[in-house]
Amino acid sequence: METRERARLDAFFRRITAQFPAGQTITTLVITHVLPERPAFLRAMTAVSTVGAVLPKPRSIHQPTLDAVRCTLPVHDLTRERFTDETQALDYLEDTAGGQDVVLVDIGGYFAASLDTLVSKFSGRILGVVEDTENGHQRYAALDSLPCPVVSVARSPLKDCEDHLVGRSIVFSTDALVRARGDILTSRNACVIGFGKIGRAIAQALRAQDLRVTVYDSNPVKRVQAHSLGFRTSASTTEAVCDAELVLCATGNLALRHEDFAALRNGAYLGSVTSSEDELELSSLHDLYERTAAGAQLTRYEVTGHYFYVLADGGAVNFVHGAAVGAYIHLVQAEILAATAALSHTRFRPGLHEMPAADRDAIARTWLNHFER
């Protein structure tokens, strides 16, 4: 990022943190993508908290950016296993922020499995969680009860712009990887599994590039919505993928399980919009299918009589090309900062929450004033 761009972005976040100042002193543990625009967000996070640790999402790391972040903030490795195991999670929290008031900033529901233990046994206080993604929103919503506030920005109107552009970036990266091996997608059959905001954006972008698109979602209301927009729909995952030459999965909740892969058409391309462990049960195939590199970020899975290609090793396809969505990403980052500050004021009771509409309006006005000029 050029010096002028960095200064402009820092100025935007200064305005946000001035509008949403922290209350009491808090420590944050921040799960995040480490991409070139992210240090500005992390610098802003230090204005509302002490950043106890940055935990980079493993498949979305830009190494020069990570090296720069390490110079100013503590960086720890992130694994799903660390926070799934309650003992490991508690030990980590004690070592990192023992006795402190803590806000957990999450992408993907990493803290959900151990949240009860962290809240009840931690030597400090868990003031709450801020969750960024639909996948994570679902993980917290699935808990029987929440022992602390969880503020989700996953369904915020401010994220609609980002989700629309993420859908386009998924299709851009998919097309680029397929073209890199001398193939094209035009006029082929495609399937989108999951018709949330990102799945809808993907389906629309694919249709705009002259693919024939079928949609499957486990929610019949979503299928009706897809049908009303002119997409073909199917009644099952198997039916959806059997004739598709491209399958893009956007559920955040294991779109394809072990038994589903056999239904894939020979030669199909398969991609995900989120972490592979959240979307594709590929590990169950490793003893059955031979895996060979078929090009950059492309793996061929083959067993006698059947083969298909997996993009980006099953991870989010758009991160291959930096997942850029422009300045719109800063709307969501600003809401995460505002939510973190709100938790420092203990504004919410235990449960799943969204930020008030008035706060979102204030963020949108600030963004427009800053980035429209």
Side-chain angles (χ1 to χ4, degrees):
M1 181 175 290
E2 294 182 4
T3 302
R4 184 174 180 178
E5 292 174 327
R6 169 177 167 160
R8 187 182 190 200
L9 193 48
D10 284 341
F12 168 72
F13 282 127
R14 281 196 299 272
R15 295 177 67 179
I16 293 297
T17 55
Q19 285 179 285
F20 301 97
Q24 61 189 291
T25 300
I26 60 169
T27 297
T28 50
L29 305 185
V30 184
I31 294 177
T32 184
H33 308 294
V34 181
L35 300 172
E37 43 72 26
R38 204 55 51 120
F41 166 72
L42 292 172
R43 288 192 293 272
M45 188 61 73
T46 65
V48 298
S49 71
T50 297
V51 176
V54 174
L55 296 140
K57 294 274 285 185
R59 292 176 182 267
S60 52
I61 294 173
H62 178 250
Q63 192 60 48
T65 302
L66 179 61
D67 294 341
V69 170
R70 286 188 191 277
C71 293
T72 57
L73 294 171
V75 176
H76 300 163
D77 292 337
L78 175 65
T79 64
R80 183 72 71 180
E81 292 72 25
R82 166 178 277 170
F83 296 111
T84 300
D85 183 279
E86 295 177 352
T87 301
Q88 282 191 57
L90 183 59
D91 287 346
Y92 172 77
L93 192 59
E94 293 289 1
D95 290 343
T96 306
Q100 300 171 42
D101 290 338
V102 174
V103 172
L104 306 171
V105 180
D106 202 354
I107 296 181
Y110 277 81
F111 301 110
S114 57
L115 191 59
D116 279 330
T117 297
L118 296 181
V119 171
S120 63
K121 297 185 177 180
F122 177 49
S123 63
R125 287 193 304 164
I126 303 295
L127 299 181
V129 180
V130 183
E131 171 57 50
D132 183 33
T133 65
E134 177 64 25
N135 172 28
H137 181 110
Q138 292 179 25
R139 288 176 183 269
Y140 287 109
L143 298 178
D144 291 334
S145 63
L146 288 167
C148 68
V150 176
V151 183
S152 172
V153 304
R155 299 177 182 180
S156 167
L158 293 180
K159 202 170 186 185
D160 288 350
C161 304
E162 177 191 345
D163 290 338
H164 172 68
L165 292 168
V166 165
R168 288 189 176 188
S169 72
I170 289 284
V171 173
F172 169 85
S173 293
T174 298
D175 187 57
L177 294 179
V178 170
R179 285 176 180 273
R181 69 179 302 264
D183 205 351
I184 62 170
L185 296 174
T186 302
S187 299
R188 293 191 174 188
N189 294 329
C191 168
V192 178
I193 302 179
F195 201 66
K197 290 185 290 185
I198 293 178
R200 178 183 300 211
I202 291 170
Q204 291 171 330
L206 289 172
R207 181 163 62 186
Q209 292 191 202
D210 299 322
L211 282 84
R212 296 179 292 273
V213 183
T214 297
V215 169
Y216 173 72
D217 194 295
S218 59
N219 185 336
V221 174
K222 298 286 189 183
R223 295 203 299 273
V224 168
Q225 291 172 344
H227 195 274
S228 74
L229 293 172
F231 295 107
R232 293 180 293 180
T233 59
S234 60
S236 68
T237 303
T238 300
E239 179 184 317
V241 305
C242 66
D243 194 41
E245 297 158 278
L246 170 66
V247 178
L248 292 175
C249 300
T251 69
N253 191 24
L254 279 182
L256 295 187
R257 300 176 184 272
H258 173 79
E259 61 274 12
D260 297 319
F261 292 97
L264 289 171
R265 175 174 172 161
N266 270 344
Y269 294 100
L270 173 63
S272 170
V273 309
T274 186
S275 302
S276 56
E277 66 266 23
D278 296 329
E279 199 71 68
L280 306 172
E281 206 170 50
L282 289 171
S283 60
S284 68
L285 305 182
H286 290 176
D287 292 334
L288 300 173
Y289 282 73
E290 180 181 355
R291 290 169 292 154
T292 56
Q297 300 289 340
L298 198 64
T299 305
R300 180 184 172 107
Y301 279 64
E302 184 170 13
V303 69
T304 303
H306 189 224
Y307 72 98
F308 58 89
Y309 299 98
V310 175
L311 304 170
D313 202 26
V317 177
N318 56 328
F319 283 112
V320 172
H321 299 104
V325 297
Y328 298 99
I329 187 69
H330 308 312
L331 286 163
V332 182
Q333 292 171 346
E335 189 170 355
I336 290 170
L337 290 165
T340 301
L343 288 170
S344 78
H345 290 278
T346 62
R347 279 172 50 183
F348 299 104
R349 298 175 62 84
L352 192 60
H353 301 272
E354 295 184 351
M355 288 297 287
D359 290 346
R360 292 170 174 164
D361 289 349
I363 290 169
R365 281 193 295 270
T366 301
W367 187 94
L368 287 167
N369 180 266
H370 195 83
F371 288 104
E372 272 199 333
R373 288 182 301 174

